[in-house]
Amino acid sequence: MRIFMRRVFACLSLFFFLVPVTYVRGPVPPPNDSQYLALTPIVFDARNPDRTQEGRLSFLGGWKITSDNDDFGGISSMLALPSDRFLMLSDNGTLVGFTLDESSNRAVRPFIAPLPDGPAKPNELARQNWDAESLLQDPKTGQYWVGYEHQHSIWRYSPSFARKESAHFPKTMQDWPNNGGAEAMLPLSGGRFLVFSESAEYSKGGYQALIFDGDPSEARSKATPFGYQPPEGYMLTDAAMLDENSALMLHRRFTPFEGISAILSIAQLEDFQAEEVATSIAIATLKSPLKVDNMEALAVTKEGDSTIVWIASDDNFNQLQETLLFKFRLLKGKTAQEQPDPQHKNEKAGASPGFSSFETD
């Protein structure tokens, strides 16, 4: 998807080479390091502003986020922290943080800053190839984990991203496609982790994923493969723990005829079995005429008894796309579209005891 959009943008840029123009090149302006973020409220369905529901998602609010900072954009993952604080991570290794004030549609105490280190020297050209795709935090220790594409690796950072603590380039990830790396991560009990590839095909179906028996940023951790089958035609872009037994899975698709769409689904953690192929059950589809873009970031919070789902988009640093943030309430019960996948391969009788009851840390 990212490659396709860049090619479209490149084709549009050819106009300036094919049409004779006269211009005078002036001095290159210094990079804009503005720390200001602007939030503009958006509606869920411009054709029907009163619409608030899709599947099991009830729309509570949405914002278009903009900044003059040259490094802003490309949001691929995010964390929803206590006190309405958000931390977003860009493809280029840039952190975007702010507190969301919904009453005034303001980003309070915003900051935009690069990661302290990554899988290349921290200069402008190298950082464009970092392609940070996934982000986790341990609320107990304050440590963070980041998954990278291109130079497939998992890095751990100290609290507040003060420094890099460890980095690992797992051998099993090095054959993944350049743009098919660690698209999503999930933490499990006992210090285990799940790491999902976006597009590395799994021999038994779906796409490759790994169960790490320890910290994936450390070389001593052993990785065992399994497969994940997204909804047909879609690619996984992020995942977040829903409760001790299940996770939300975010997927996106782009076609020239239908444009961009996204599917949110629920997966049961017990289905993530070594050497097996897991699936999930769709609970909502976001597509035109609903407001939608390249949805890549997912987070879950609680408000009283309500489960809140946050989804953000990656604009690919493309002026034709937008950085969006949505807030939904997850509705209880099943919808008409929430039917078991016929390809579902979870066989209770054959489940491995060691993977029968995952819990979050």
Side-chain angles (χ1 to χ4, degrees), residues 150 152 170-178 180 197 199-201 208:
H150 293 289
H152 301 303
K171 182 178 180 180
T172 51
M173 292 171 56
Q174 300 314 304
D175 292 333
W176 289 0
N178 280 342
S197 166
S199 59
E201 294 185 356
Q208 293 183 39

Side-chain angles (χ1 to χ4, degrees), residues 67-132:
S67 175
D68 290 332
N69 190 302
D70 291 335
D71 287 330
F72 176 79
I75 302 302
S76 289
S77 54
M78 68 175 170
L79 298 174
L81 305 173
S83 302
D84 299 319
R85 190 72 179 166
F86 285 83
L87 184 63
M88 298 178 169
L89 181 60
S90 169
D91 286 341
N92 66 2
T94 297
L95 293 166
V96 177
F98 62 95
T99 297
L100 176 62
D101 185 343
E102 296 184 51
S103 63
S104 62
N105 296 309
R106 293 176 55 237
V108 181
R109 294 189 294 117
F111 75 86
I112 303 172
L115 288 169
D117 198 357
K121 294 181 179 180
N123 59 63
E124 188 68 23
L125 180 61
R127 283 180 57 214
Q128 292 177 0
N129 295 320
W130 283 14
D131 208 350

Side-chain angles (χ1 to χ4, degrees), residues 2-112:
R2 183 179 297 108
I3 294 176
F4 178 80
M5 294 306 301
R6 287 175 178 170
R7 288 176 177 172
V8 170
F9 191 73
C11 290
L12 293 175
S13 300
L14 285 176
F15 172 82
F16 297 98
F17 294 94
L18 298 177
V19 178
V21 295
T22 300
Y23 65 94
V24 177
R25 181 175 181 177
V28 178
N32 189 320
D33 61 356
S34 169
Q35 297 296 292
Y36 178 71
L37 294 173
L39 300 185
T40 303
I42 56 178
V43 295
F44 189 43
D45 185 345
R47 299 182 186 180
N48 181 12
D50 294 330
R51 180 178 179 182
T52 60
Q53 185 175 342
E54 163 54 32
R56 284 182 58 188
L57 294 180
S58 176
F59 180 72
L60 299 178
W63 301 266
K64 175 183 176 182
I65 309 177
T66 56
S67 175
D68 290 332
N69 190 302
D70 291 335
D71 287 330
F72 176 79
I75 302 302
S76 289
S77 54
M78 68 175 170
L79 298 174
L81 305 173
S83 302
D84 299 319
R85 190 72 179 166
F86 285 83
L87 184 63
M88 298 178 169
L89 181 60
S90 169
D91 286 341
N92 66 2
T94 297
L95 293 166
V96 177
F98 62 95
T99 297
L100 176 62
D101 185 343
E102 296 184 51
S103 63
S104 62
N105 296 309
R106 293 176 55 237
V108 181
R109 294 189 294 117
F111 75 86
I112 303 172

